[in-house]
Each structure stands twice: as C-alpha cells, then as structure tokens.
Amino acid sequence: MTNTAQNDILLEVKNLKMHFPITKGIVIQRTVGAVKAVDGLNFFIRRGETLGLVGESGCGKSTTGRSILQLYKPTAGQVIFKGEELTKMKRGHLRAMRRQMQIIFQDPYASLNPRMTVGAIIGEPLEIHHLAAGKEKRERVQQLLRQVGLNPYFVNRYPHEFSGGQRQRIGVARALAVNPEFIVCDEPISALDVSIQAQIINLLEELQGEYSLTYLFIAHDLSVVRHISDRVAVMYLGKIVELANRDELYENPQHPYTQALLSAVPIPDPVVEERRQRIILQGDVPSPVNPPKGCNFVTRCPRAMDICHEKEPPFRDMGGDHYTACWLYE
Ligand code: SF4
C-alpha cells in the first residue's frame, strides 16, 4: 500500500491481529470465544514521522501499540521493524531490538514506581541494557532531566513530589534514556490538565526534531493529534477505517465514522463554528467479542447500504496516500 521507498519505512505492520481468548471452566479451561481487540491492521510508519492513531476508547489503539512493541504476543500477522520481523524473534534478540522501541504511558501517576527515586526510575533502563553505570549513569540521568526541562538536582526526589506534567516529563526522560528510534506515545497527555498538555506536545516535538524520533501517537481526540501528526489513522472496533495525510484527513474525510468524529471537533473560527453540523452517532460501539457481519461500523453508520451488512469493505487506495474502508467508494 505504498509508493514510499522501502528504506524510508521504519516500521511496517501486516495483517496484525490481537485476539484475547475468553475461557470457561475452573479445572479444565475451554476457550469459548475471543475479544478481537485488533483485527487485521496494515500500515507503515516512515522514519522521522508521527503517525496519529485515533479512535474511541476500547477500539484497540493501545493494544495496537503494545502488540507492536511485543508487550503482547500478537495472535497473527507481522511487525517489521527496520527490516526485521519481531513476532517470531528469539527473546535475546528481541530484547536488543526493544532498546530501540520505547513507550510513554498515559498515566504518569500509575506508570512510575512510587518507591523509586527519579534517578533510579530514569537510570533503570540504562542498567537493564548495560548502557551506563556509576558516575556515567548519574551524569546521563542529569542530562536527561535537563533535556526534558526538569532540574537535574531532582534526582533523589520521589514521583509524588512532582506535578502531573513533571511526572510525564520523567516518563519521557525514561523512554529517551536508551536512545530509541521509535516511541509509542500512548495517550501521553490525556491524564493531564489542558494547560499542561501543550507543553508536553511541544516537548515531544522538540525531542523528535533533535533526535530524529519516529512516533506512533495514540489519542482518542482528533483535535489533539492534528497538531503533532504527519499522517492520521482512524480506528474503529479493531480495524483501521481511514488513513491519510493529516491535512487531507481533516479537510476531506471519506469514511462516515471519520466524518462523525470530525463533526464533534470545535472550530476556532466563530462563523464557521456556528455552521458546524454535528453528526450524532446512534447506539453504542458493538462488543469486540461479536463484531457485526460485513462492515464493522454498519450498526451505527448513517449511510449503511445492503452490501454493508454482508461483506467487509476492502481498505481502498483513494490516491494521494489516502486509504479508506467503505463500500460508498467501490
Ligand atoms: Fe457505512 Fe457501509 Fe461505509 Fe460501512 S461500508 S462505513 S456501513 S457506508
């Protein structure tokens, strides 16, 4: 699905599936179904770009991020990072690859060990990957604190002594410690005050420029990813329904789900804002245990047709790096 040169691509995901089995029985456990959290994703991320991954909570965004990093063992499909397939990789080799792939979590309150000092939290990955010890490690930790805008003399403080934004900066420093090339930013600003969110986005952008980082930026809010993303993928019930360059997606959304999500985003121009027509989706997101037949979005789509109940729409190339899965365009 690309006219991008192969060596421009840092990460490629092919038919990625992550199904969590549902079991019954206490003594003998039987698998009676599966939660299809991620159900056949195909996309790539170019070196140095930010791919935004957007969708309502429970649509499989975070599972996608974790499956890429092999924190979950995918049920099927391939994750190719720098030309190497990760899903079948031996543990030792995978560990070495992991150094190049880090994650920043949503909740800086929960993701930092409250009993460890900031110095120990940021220094831990340096130890795990045998990158620095002793004085060298201390200096590196202080350098990282400076890079994320924190006072380097805070090394002996504990997470509870910091504000939410500062804690997320610590999470960023920890991810940065091992000089990764790729970072999954898993809703990194959702738990923060609005006033702090822009600071963290700016920090991530500065670091990206300085270290040529590549991001998968996960968010449930389309207005958040607009600023930081080069391209945006929209996810619904375990599948990507639309993927396009940022401006193209916001100005020319094709999939009815993307159109509904965008109709909920306020527009800063009061004249245009007054004319904004909200598309209110009816019903709830169906269970990923039992997704609808045909198009996943059929139960809520205002434009559903007969075929949508029968056959799954293909992920169609609309031209200009714009893809969508919808029978309206077949
Ligand atoms: Fe709606 Fe049909 Fe398109 Fe699915 S394929 S989004 S149900 S029009």
Side-chain angles (χ1 to χ4, degrees), residues 66 69 71 102-112 167-168 171-172 174-175 183-191:
R66 285 169 167 76
L69 299 179
L71 299 175
Q102 295 291 307
I103 183 165
I104 299 167
F105 292 101
Q106 171 178 1
D107 188 351
Y109 299 87
S111 62
L112 304 178
R167 281 185 235 199
Q168 196 52 296
V172 173
R174 183 183 158 96
I183 300 182
V184 172
C185 305
D186 187 3
E187 303 234 19
I189 60 168
S190 307

Side-chain angles (χ1 to χ4, degrees), residues 198 201-202 205 222-230 246 250:
I201 295 267
N202 291 343
E205 283 192 317
L222 266 164
S223 55
V224 167
V225 292
R226 179 166 198 165
H227 181 71
I228 196 168
S229 303
D230 297 293
R246 184 247 328 253
Y250 286 83

Side-chain angles (χ1 to χ4, degrees), residues 255-257 295-299 301-305 307-309 311 313 325-329:
H255 196 279
Y257 180 59
C295 172
N296 261 4
F297 190 50
V298 71
T299 53
C301 181
R303 302 178 69 185
M305 304 168 287
I307 189 173
C308 310
H309 294 272
K311 285 172 77 177
C326 177
W327 285 118
L328 289 170
Y329 306 102

Side-chain angles (χ1 to χ4, degrees), residues 24-222:
K24 249 192 179 166
I26 296 165
V27 182
I28 301 170
Q29 292 212 326
R30 291 175 295 126
T31 302
V32 292
V35 177
K36 294 172 185 157
V38 171
D39 202 20
L41 303 189
N42 292 286
F43 64 89
F44 62 84
I45 309 182
R46 298 185 181 100
R47 287 175 195 276
E49 81 166 343
T50 299
L51 178 70
L53 186 61
V54 184
E56 289 162 285
S57 61
C59 72
K61 311 177 297 278
S62 292
T63 306
T64 302
R66 285 169 167 76
S67 305
I68 287 173
L69 299 179
Q70 306 299 298
L71 299 175
Y72 296 145
K73 200 85 201 133
T75 312
Q78 294 181 309
V79 177
I80 301 158
F81 179 70
K82 295 172 79 177
E84 296 203 59
E85 219 277 272
L86 302 183
T87 62
K88 309 236 162 25
M89 199 172 264
K90 295 239 164 61
R91 216 191 252 184
H93 193 179
L94 184 60
R95 210 176 127 158
M97 291 300 275
R98 276 225 182 98
R99 187 184 71 69
Q100 303 170 55
M101 312 167 77
Q102 295 291 307
I103 183 165
I104 299 167
F105 292 101
Q106 171 178 1
D107 188 351
Y109 299 87
S111 62
L112 304 178
N113 187 335
R115 282 185 284 276
M116 285 168 78
T117 63
V118 166
I121 289 170
I122 300 173
E124 191 179 45
L126 293 170
E127 272 174 33
I128 292 172
H129 292 283
H130 309 294
L131 293 174
K135 184 167 175 266
E136 197 189 344
K137 187 180 85 176
R138 263 197 313 282
E139 284 172 1
R140 173 84 178 118
V141 168
Q142 292 191 325
Q143 180 199 17
L144 284 159
L145 282 170
R146 246 181 254 117
Q147 276 170 339
V148 298
L150 291 174
N151 187 330
Y153 298 107
F154 286 173
V155 279
N156 292 322
R157 296 197 180 179
Y158 289 87
H160 74 265
E161 297 177 66
F162 294 88
S163 68
Q166 287 174 322
R167 281 185 235 199
Q168 196 52 296
R169 286 175 193 267
I170 297 167
V172 173
R174 183 183 158 96
L176 217 59
V178 291
N179 290 325
E181 289 186 47
F182 173 63
I183 300 182
V184 172
C185 305
D186 187 3
E187 303 234 19
I189 60 168
S190 307
L192 303 177
D193 280 359
V194 176
S195 57
I196 310 293
Q197 290 183 349
Q199 293 176 14
I200 298 296
I201 295 267
N202 291 343
L203 174 67
L204 289 171
E205 283 192 317
E206 277 166 32
L207 294 169
Q208 181 172 43
E210 201 163 328
Y211 299 105
S212 308
L213 295 167
T214 303
Y215 293 146
L216 176 68
F217 193 98
I218 297 172
H220 59 262
D221 185 342
L222 266 164

